[in-house]
Amino acid sequence: MEKYKDFSAIILAGGKSSRMNNDKALLPISGVKFIERIARNLERYYEEIIISARSRTRFNFLPYPIVIDEQPNLGPLMGILSGLKASANKYNFVIACDIPEINFNFLEKLMSHSKQNDLVVPITDKDKYEPLFAIYAKNLIPIIEHLLNRGKRKISELFSQCKTKYILMENNGWYHNLNTLQDYHAYLKARNIDSIKATWWRPL
């Protein structure tokens, strides 16, 4: 399978998972941790996969470069900035670590608009943006730095500062954000995944 050229993938795993009460990046699905499930899917398509995290030790079982935020506790925008700085490619697919499934047909649609735009963001029919499943150009680095220096931490602050393309996410039954344990167990039930098999495990 041919990999996407000129693109890297950045997995954001620096959140505190306060609503989950567990590290959601390490929650298991059928014996595979969330973040490893995402990375395994991505490595079929991307030569470079970067983990943006608060700590290297949490993810040292993964064979991917891990970047730490230059300044802690500034949210996902800082995580995106750190990932973009570490990336070897101009275009980057950014995904949160709590999205267990990826529709690659839709992802290819996002990427097809990347070279004409700085940022390609999905939007649902309820006018809800999904900036943690989006394409970011590396040239956004100085713009993000400027926002953070001004105390602007919301990703939506970036939209008006660059050339942004919004793509309607249709037929999005595959798309899930698992922010709470209720979300997690509901997802397991909906996908008919045995909750007994979805247990904590330690990497070999």
Side-chain angles (χ1 to χ4, degrees), residues 74-81 144 147-148 152-155:
L74 292 185
L77 191 57
M78 174 56 77
I80 293 169
L81 175 63
I144 297 174
L147 287 173
L148 290 172
K152 306 290 187 180
R153 296 170 52 182
K154 292 183 178 180
I155 300 176

Side-chain angles (χ1 to χ4, degrees), residues 81-156:
L81 175 63
S82 301
L84 290 177
K85 284 188 172 183
S87 172
N89 288 299
K90 181 176 181 179
Y91 306 105
N92 298 268
F93 170 51
V94 171
I95 181 172
C97 67
D98 61 357
I99 301 174
E101 297 183 21
I102 301 172
N103 183 315
F104 281 95
N105 288 329
F106 181 69
L107 177 54
E108 287 182 355
K109 185 176 182 179
L110 295 181
M111 292 193 300
S112 71
H113 293 275
S114 60
K115 294 186 179 181
Q116 297 79 38
N117 300 280
D118 303 311
L119 175 57
V120 186
V121 183
I123 182 172
T124 70
D125 55 3
K126 297 179 181 179
D127 294 332
K128 180 181 178 183
Y129 302 103
E130 299 294 346
L132 300 186
F133 190 99
I135 308 297
Y136 292 76
K138 197 174 175 73
N139 62 278
L140 289 172
I141 289 174
I143 302 174
I144 297 174
E145 287 179 326
H146 181 64
L147 287 173
L148 290 172
N149 288 336
R150 293 170 53 210
K152 306 290 187 180
R153 296 170 52 182
K154 292 183 178 180
I155 300 176
S156 58

Side-chain angles (χ1 to χ4, degrees), residues 4 10-11 13 23 28 81 90 103 110 114 131 171 178 180-181 203:
Y4 301 133
I10 300 169
I11 304 175
D23 190 335
L81 175 63
K90 181 176 181 179
N103 183 315
L110 295 181
S114 60
N171 303 317
L178 307 186
T180 67
L181 282 176

Side-chain angles (χ1 to χ4, degrees), residues 7-11 42 46 48-51 91-94:
F7 282 88
S8 294
I10 300 169
I11 304 175
L42 290 174
Y46 296 92
E48 181 179 58
I49 297 172
I50 296 167
I51 310 295
Y91 306 105
N92 298 268
F93 170 51
V94 171

